[in-house]
Amino acid sequence: MSKLNWNLFTQLPVFFIFFAIQLITCLSFAQVDPEIQWKVLKLPHFDLIYDAKHQELAELYADRLEDNRQYLTQYFQIFPDRVTVILNDRTDLTNGYATPIPYQTMMLYPALPGPQETIGDYGDWARELTLHEYTHSLSFQPRRGVIKGLYYTFGSIITPNILLPRWWLEGLAVDLETRSSNKGRLKSPYQDGSIRAYVLENKLQSVQLAEINETSIHTWPQGGRPYLFGSLMWSELIARYGAKNMQELLSRYGGRMPYFLEAPIQDQTGASYYQLFVDMKDSLQKKVQFQVAELGKVAFSQGPTLTVKNGIENFHPVISPDGLKMVFLSKSDSNKRSVRILVRPSLDVPFDGSQELAEIGQRFGETLPELNPSPRRIDEREGADSPPGGTIQRLAWFPDSLRFVFDKSDVPDRYHEISDLHLFDLRKMKVERITYRERAREAAVSPDSKSLVFVKLEAGRTHLALFDLTEKTSKIIYSPALQTRISIPVFLSNSEVLFSERTDGRETLKKISLPSLQVQEVLSQYPDTRFASVSKKGILFSSTMNGISNVYLTTPDFRTVRPVSHSSTFISSSSMDADRDELYVSELTTNGFQIRTLSLKNGPALPASLPKVQPLLADRYPALNHQVSSIEKPPADDYSAWPWMLPRFWLPNLYFYDGGAVIGAATAAADPLQKHAYSVAAAHETETQETSSQFLYTNNTTQATVLVKALDYNTSVVNTNIDFRQQDYETDALWEVPQIGSDFFAGVGYRWLGRDYSNVNYSFQSESYRNAETEAHGPSLLAAYSSLSMSGAQVTPESGLLFNFSATDFKEGGGLSESFRQYHLSYQQYLSKWLPRHHAIMYRLQGLFTDQNVGLANYSYTVPYVPFANALGPTYIMRGYLNGQFLGKSIANYTFEYRFPIWYIYHGGGTAPIFFKRVHGAVIADGATVDGYAYSNDRGLYERIDPWHTYWSTGLELKLDITLGYHFPMTVFAGWYTPQDKTYDEGQRFTIGIQL
């Protein structure tokens, strides 16, 4: 009879893991502020959902949505009947995504891209953003043959094209966003500079086809790989074989099993994707060599590169007014931005990395939001449409050279990601936040230190604003039209401000007189004028006057202008070291932007006009004369969630075991704003003729997230005649507690729990149980906190913690019911200080305490397997022991792991749907103190154990991170574990498994 419990416990986790995944999925959905009044414009082909305050912006987007559909008829033949579009102004970070599940949806975040971003060279941003995402929707649409039949059977979950490689989908969208505009990424100086950097550093030919799909490789361009190289692949494909391949390839893939990519492209073109990739690189090599030959008629600016510890990318240098200090942004191989401060001993000494005074803000994240309605945290994320430039945009000194101001995006609550201004004081070595929910970025300080000028964001527009440092108040001084971007303002004097303004793809410098608020354009003949700064020798700014972004110096009256850099790639911002007559610039390389020092006195003088070049792919993307027409718009309706709540798909589940089978199905649905979301699953077991079911509902219409969970689980224990049923019904309400942090939630709940063992006749030492049944119900208190992040070269979180607590007061509910209180606690923390780079220690304490003697039905048990690498629990882990080896009414579980990287592989095979990322390992120790029983294999039963004795196991784990199917990260691991207690050492010593 020993098989009763451990076979039962083997089956239970599978069901609960599936339930947990559904719960996590629902909780991770976007949540919008319940105070917003939402409207719906029912357009001919779109349902546009928007905040009622953004009527003008919604009408602008409505025109572009319908215009895009008409424009794309020249490339596509299959269109969805309707697409749901949400205009969601919840973030100051530019982003968007599209998904066909559960219905065709586009989520658009209308914040305008900043000048530092790869998408900063836009023309009509609303048109390019909507066309990019609508291209995704059209890519998902084709289904034919058997696939179409499966679609009509199972619903929208049958969308084979969503499994195409990232580079394929994103590359097509970037290509079409460029074809539809006079700007766009394939025409941008930034992307051209990236390609030239690859060629000039002899790295283009070493790029693998397999790696361009990856967003998790920590080297530059990180998450931008699918966009950069995917767009170049599509540009080459269309240039060689024509645009007709878009629809034909999508149609072929829409009727095939996923991941078999090569036959359609070879049928269409006679070439493989690998050959296309080789041809693309060869073509770019020739174009770049031709450009460089022309540019090289004037010697390129040369100078040393600034290096700092653990800074793989360094950019945006700013020298203090006293000339002794420099601040700049730095990005580590963890893709995290920080502010670095250098202090040199005298004005005669150049700046170098050995002079570092401090590094500020390891928690400041380099943001790559997921394809998700609302990322929960501002941290490092993979796979973003329109990757933003990061959460810190600009640094600016006060005249006293003892303080500087910077902007940073934060999450003040679960509904918003907002950029605000912060001040760092070198005397106190502390950061002070000086605005709150201001949506402020790119600030500069006035010469009298009394005010700041900054860019204030709004949905689809920017404003120029002043902040009074004495009164702590702000006011808008200039508001251009929708879609006009203001960037990088700087004080020329206490009464005059210079800034860049981009409208319809044209970007120029403008100055505003503060007394009169009169605006005047300057240097109108210089295109793409950005990053202005004032120095003792004049005003610096960057411009693409010769087709390359270079630095120019002008006199204060703007009458005399001369180039002071001649780059082969791309220069963004710069800062003048007037005392040494040197220029520090951010120049693009294959390691991202790097700070280089250019001498203005020792190098050869640059001519007034630098050699000019056209965009690398100008011949493929001619000028487009396209005007967006205005459509007649119906009156807007109030938003209602219910039209979207019917399920649009279902998933079958079929599982065979010795003696029977489990047949089941699951479905889920949510409205576009995630105000309501639910999932339902049911399974019928043929042996017992019992049906199990589960239901989860999430309500986000109030400040509290309300969860309703229901579980009715029936099964038979393998090789026994025992039946088991668990019923678990729970309602919880969780509130964010912003006073503690945007990641801390607390709430209340009520739970009813029933367990029933039928046909039982077995021994538990001297205690015998037959038809054991228990019911209990009662209120709960809940709390949870998370501050983890992991990205780039990290193989584990290296700091932060997870915390979860619940307390339930169970009352008797009938049968053999019991009254007791039960407490669950999980605490998990990561430490890496003083350890080798990317090594970390993880320790976790999990506990269950039951204050009364209860029957075995209310006991918990240990498991030998960790399904999630950084799971919070409660899952009581004892690797190396049997599943269910320890069974207790109270359990204390301890886990210690030393994690470390071994090998960064970053290799795949062409279009094969598997990519090997890295190998890492861990030394582990698990411990458990149990008030209850342990299973003795020798005696074939559970026996009472000393409640004060702690059982331990130790082991080693080797893990391989992979991307499977182009999109799905997972970890394959092998572990060897040694139970330290010889009485109960019958577990599986060697284990191979998969972690999510």
Side-chain angles (χ1 to χ4, degrees):
M1 305 305 294
S2 65
K3 293 182 179 179
L4 166 64
N5 286 287
W6 68 278
N7 279 325
L8 174 61
F9 299 142
T10 300
Q11 295 180 48
L12 277 174
V14 176
F15 193 84
F16 289 123
I17 288 168
F18 178 53
F19 187 75
I21 291 171
Q22 289 187 309
L23 170 61
I24 292 167
T25 301
C26 283
L27 285 175
S28 67
F29 284 159
Q31 297 174 0
V32 295
D33 192 333
E35 303 300 322
I36 295 176
Q37 180 186 359
W38 294 92
K39 294 287 187 178
V40 183
L41 269 179
K42 293 190 176 296
L43 305 172
H45 303 99
F46 301 89
D47 293 316
L48 178 59
I49 302 168
Y50 62 97
D51 185 335
K53 295 183 299 184
H54 300 150
Q55 183 67 35
E56 182 185 7
L57 184 69
E59 292 179 0
L60 181 145
Y61 270 79
D63 290 338
R64 280 142 183 82
L65 285 165
E66 290 295 341
D67 184 82
N68 286 341
R69 189 183 190 281
Q70 179 60 36
Y71 176 83
L72 289 173
T73 55
Q74 62 186 301
Y75 300 110
F76 297 94
Q77 288 80 49
I78 303 173
F79 290 81
D81 293 333
R82 301 193 68 75
V83 176
T84 300
V85 182
I86 305 99
L87 202 57
N88 189 356
D89 185 37
R90 59 151 288 133
T91 177
D92 289 344
L93 303 174
T94 308
N95 202 3
Y97 81 97
T99 178
I101 303 171
Y103 38 78
Q104 287 279 16
T105 305
M106 293 162 50
M107 182 73 74
L108 308 176
Y109 303 104
L112 295 176
Q116 304 93 336
E117 301 183 30
T118 61
I119 50 176
D121 290 305
Y122 64 87
D124 181 335
W125 175 245
R127 175 173 167 78
E128 292 167 33
L129 174 61
T130 53
L131 193 138
H132 183 108
E133 302 306 341
Y134 193 45
T135 298
H136 286 325
S137 294
L138 299 183
S139 300
F140 302 147
Q141 192 66 17
R143 304 174 182 92
R144 62 180 180 83
V146 174
I147 298 295
K148 194 169 187 178
L150 294 173
Y151 167 72
Y152 285 128
T153 303
F154 297 107
S156 61
I157 200 71
I158 306 298
T159 305
N161 286 357
I162 201 174
L163 299 176
L164 287 168
R166 286 190 185 100
W167 65 259
W168 204 103
L169 294 168
E170 298 299 347
L172 177 59
V174 171
D175 182 272
L176 283 175
E177 90 188 25
T178 306
R179 290 181 190 278
S180 71
S181 169
N182 281 323
K183 295 294 180 177
R185 276 173 271 194
L186 281 162
K187 300 174 186 174
S188 76
Y190 177 92
Q191 182 144 318
D192 280 4
S194 304
I195 299 166
R196 283 191 297 272
Y198 269 104
V199 173
L200 291 172
E201 296 178 38
N202 296 316
K203 293 183 178 179
L204 181 64
Q205 297 298 338
S206 63
V207 177
Q208 307 173 49
L209 175 58
E211 77 183 59
I212 72 173
N213 185 69
E214 286 300 307
T215 59
S216 61
I217 300 175
H218 68 267
T219 56
W220 184 85
Q222 291 100 13
R225 273 183 177 78
Y227 302 86
L228 171 61
F229 290 104
S231 63
L232 294 171
M233 283 282 282
W234 266 104
S235 181
E236 189 71 20
L237 191 155
I238 293 172
R240 288 177 178 268
Y241 305 108
K244 60 178 175 40
N245 288 289
M246 293 184 193
Q247 183 62 56
E248 291 175 359
L249 286 171
L250 284 168
S251 178
R252 288 285 301 275
Y253 291 131
R256 293 169 61 87
M257 290 291 291
Y259 309 126
F260 294 90
L261 300 184
E262 291 296 343
I265 189 68
Q266 292 194 13
D267 291 345
Q268 294 295 122
T269 67
S272 66
Y273 282 116
Y274 176 78
Q275 186 60 52
L276 181 68
F277 187 59
V278 171
D279 292 342
M280 177 268 289
K281 292 192 291 184
D282 290 342
S283 173
L284 290 175
Q285 189 101 15
K286 293 175 183 177
K287 289 177 180 290
V288 168
Q289 289 169 348
F290 178 82
Q291 273 197 352
V292 171
E294 181 65 25
L295 293 168
K297 292 177 180 179
V298 172
F300 292 118
S301 302
Q302 301 290 329
T305 299
L306 180 73
T307 59
V308 293
K309 183 180 179 181
N310 297 330
I312 65 170
E313 190 174 354
N314 305 299
F315 46 100
H316 298 331
V318 187
I319 297 174
S320 62
D322 66 7
L324 293 174
K325 309 171 189 73
M326 177 194 286
V327 290
F328 59 93
L329 296 177
S330 183
K331 188 162 63 175
S332 70
D333 61 2
S334 302
N335 292 346
K336 293 185 177 182
R337 287 194 179 193
S338 61
V339 178
R340 300 287 185 100
I341 307 171
L342 305 182
V343 180
R344 60 183 174 182
S346 72
L347 297 177
D348 298 326
V349 179
F351 288 103
D352 67 65
S354 66
Q355 301 159 354
E356 185 167 339
L357 172 68
E359 180 180 7
I360 310 164
Q362 285 297 317
R363 290 292 307 282
F364 296 170
E366 168 74 1
T367 305
L368 295 174
E370 294 171 351
L371 294 176
N372 184 290
S374 163
R376 266 294 305 130
R377 293 178 45 76
I378 293 190
D379 274 315
E380 301 63 54
R381 292 180 280 268
E382 300 177 356
D385 272 6
S386 309
T391 62
I392 308 173
Q393 302 289 331
R394 189 188 186 187
L395 309 163
W397 284 99
F398 277 73
D400 62 10
S401 299
L402 296 173
R403 296 170 294 166
F404 60 86
V405 64
F406 62 95
D407 55 77
K408 184 172 80 76
S409 293
D410 286 306
V411 186
D413 58 55
R414 61 178 170 157
Y415 305 121
H416 301 98
E417 296 174 338
I418 293 176
S419 182
D420 272 300
L421 303 180
H422 298 71
L423 184 151
F424 185 81
D425 192 320
L426 271 72
R427 294 162 297 189
K428 301 176 182 178
M429 297 299 288
K430 289 185 178 179
V431 173
E432 174 191 357
R433 184 175 186 162
I434 55 178
T435 67
Y436 186 72
R437 293 179 177 264
E438 190 67 41
R439 304 191 72 172
R441 72 182 185 193
E442 301 169 31
V445 188
S446 64
D448 61 10
S449 300
K450 292 182 179 180
S451 60
L452 306 175
V453 62
F454 65 92
V455 177
K456 183 176 176 63
L457 301 178
E458 188 184 323
R461 74 192 319 156
T462 56
H463 308 273
L464 191 66
L466 289 177
F467 182 80
D468 189 308
L469 286 163
T470 303
E471 302 294 331
K472 306 296 184 184
T473 58
S474 65
K475 64 177 180 180
I476 294 173
I477 59 173
Y478 176 56
S479 295
L482 276 173
Q483 297 217 90
T484 298
R485 180 183 75 197
I486 293 171
S487 66
I488 314 294
V490 61
F491 280 96
L492 297 176
S493 67
N494 287 323
S495 60
E496 200 168 39
V497 170
L498 184 70
F499 60 93
S500 295
E501 181 175 294
R502 186 178 187 88
T503 304
D504 295 328
R506 180 175 180 267
E507 191 159 11
T508 59
L509 285 176
K510 291 187 175 182
K511 63 178 181 179
I512 182 172
S513 170
L514 299 184
S516 66
L517 300 185
Q518 294 296 309
V519 177
Q520 176 187 355
E521 185 175 302
V522 297
L523 301 177
S524 58
Q525 71 274 30
Y526 284 82
D528 299 324
T529 48
R530 305 172 185 167
F531 302 108
S533 64
V534 177
S535 74
K536 296 176 183 179
K537 292 183 175 291
I539 299 169
L540 296 166
F541 66 92
S542 69
S543 172
T544 58
M545 188 68 177
N546 74 324
I548 311 291
S549 183
N550 274 300
V551 184
Y552 293 79
L553 180 67
T554 179
T555 53
D557 59 7
F558 301 103
R559 292 183 179 178
T560 303
V561 183
R562 65 184 178 94
V564 288
S565 78
H566 180 34
S567 174
S568 59
T569 59
F570 182 99
I571 292 177
S572 57
S573 61
S574 61
S575 187
M576 178 74 75
D577 184 355
D579 298 286
R580 291 179 52 83
D581 210 11
E582 291 177 337
L583 189 67
Y584 288 83
V585 301
S586 299
E587 187 167 23
L588 190 58
T589 73
T590 55
N591 291 317
F593 280 101
Q594 299 295 329
I595 297 174
R596 285 187 172 155
T597 310
L598 308 181
S599 175
L600 301 182
K601 60 182 179 181
N602 296 328
L606 293 173
S609 296
L610 298 173
K612 292 186 177 181
V613 294
Q614 295 298 312
L616 280 170
L617 304 177
D619 58 325
R620 299 179 182 178
Y621 302 95
L624 185 71
N625 184 19
H626 181 85
Q627 296 294 322
V628 177
S629 58
S630 179
I631 64 170
E632 184 177 350
K633 302 167 187 71
D637 298 330
D638 290 333
Y639 175 81
S640 172
W642 306 119
W644 284 277
M645 293 307 292
L646 289 176
R648 310 296 177 97
F649 68 88
W650 66 280
L651 284 168
N653 178 36
L654 183 61
Y655 168 69
F656 294 98
Y657 62 90
D658 186 19
V662 177
I663 304 169
T667 188
D671 70 285
L673 298 179
Q674 308 296 335
K675 288 178 174 288
H676 304 274
Y678 69 86
S679 62
V680 182
H684 182 75
E685 191 168 353
T686 59
E687 183 179 10
T688 63
Q689 293 298 305
E690 296 284 355
T691 299
S692 299
S693 61
Q694 58 181 321
F695 172 78
L696 173 64
Y697 167 71
T698 307
N699 185 305
N700 289 307
T701 60
T702 65
Q703 294 295 328
T705 295
V706 178
L707 304 172
V708 177
K709 296 175 280 187
L711 167 70
D712 189 346
Y713 180 55
N714 292 272
T715 190
S716 60
V717 182
V718 179
N719 297 327
T720 75
N721 63 347
I722 302 167
D723 296 327
F724 171 76
R725 182 182 188 187
Q726 175 166 322
Q727 296 169 282
D728 196 344
Y729 306 100
E730 185 174 356
T731 300
D732 299 323
L734 296 172
W735 285 265
E736 183 183 47
V737 187
Q739 294 81 1
I740 299 178
S742 61
D743 298 301
F744 186 87
F745 288 83
V748 296
Y750 199 90
R751 186 180 185 189
W752 186 95
L753 179 65
R755 289 173 176 153
D756 183 8
Y757 296 91
S758 303
N759 304 318
V760 178
N761 186 6
Y762 66 96
S763 294
F764 232 90
Q765 284 192 326
S766 60
E767 305 170 43
S768 296
Y769 295 83
R770 187 177 182 84
N771 296 327
E773 179 181 356
T774 182
E775 295 179 9
H777 62 89
S780 299
L781 293 176
L782 311 165
Y785 175 78
S786 171
S787 63
L788 298 186
S789 67
M790 187 181 83
S791 64
Q794 293 178 319
V795 299
T796 175
E798 296 174 11
S799 63
L801 61 89
L802 292 167
F803 171 80
N804 190 17
F805 173 79
S806 68
T808 305
D809 185 11
F810 285 109
K811 307 297 182 183
E812 293 186 10
L816 297 177
S817 60
E818 298 161 318
S819 177
F820 59 95
R821 290 188 178 94
Q822 200 165 67
Y823 305 88
H824 289 274
L825 171 69
S826 294
Y827 182 89
Q828 182 172 326
Q829 188 162 17
Y830 293 81
L831 304 171
S832 59
K833 195 173 183 179
W834 299 304
L835 296 177
R837 188 150 184 81
H838 301 312
H839 291 226
I841 294 172
M842 185 278 286
Y843 66 90
R844 176 171 51 222
L845 170 65
Q846 300 185 100
L848 162 71
F849 176 72
T850 307
D851 70 341
Q852 302 290 331
N853 288 324
V854 294
L856 295 174
N858 284 315
Y859 277 42
S860 289
Y861 52 91
T862 61
V863 298
Y865 173 63
V866 185
F868 301 97
N870 301 301
L872 180 59
T875 304
Y876 308 110
I877 301 160
M878 288 294 286
R879 283 164 283 196
Y881 289 93
L882 291 172
N883 201 6
Q885 181 86 68
F886 302 100
L887 179 67
K889 74 180 186 70
S890 297
I891 298 175
N893 182 218
Y894 329 100
T895 299
F896 301 90
E897 296 187 12
Y898 184 91
R899 300 177 179 179
F900 51 92
I902 298 174
W903 181 24
Y904 293 93
I905 308 172
Y906 296 146
H907 189 78
T911 56
I914 185 170
F915 187 83
F916 301 96
K917 294 190 288 190
R918 57 204 168 203
V919 177
H920 50 108
V923 179
I924 67 101
D926 296 324
T929 306
V930 180
D931 184 2
Y933 300 86
Y935 180 75
S936 171
N937 197 51
D938 292 338
R939 301 179 62 188
L941 51 76
Y942 279 91
E943 58 188 17
R944 173 66 70 174
I945 56 177
D946 181 356
W948 302 109
H949 182 75
T950 299
Y951 300 87
W952 291 97
S953 69
T954 56
L956 295 171
E957 291 184 338
L958 190 67
K959 300 185 177 185
L960 170 65
D961 293 340
I962 63 173
T963 299
L964 194 63
Y966 307 128
H967 299 275
F968 307 107
M970 59 182 61
T971 298
V972 180
F973 77 93
W976 179 266
Y977 313 110
T978 303
Q980 298 300 307
D981 192 291
K982 301 306 179 184
T983 306
Y984 309 109
D985 62 351
E986 303 295 331
Q988 189 172 356
R989 302 292 184 91
F990 180 72
T991 300
I992 297 177
I994 295 176
Q995 288 179 333
L996 304 178

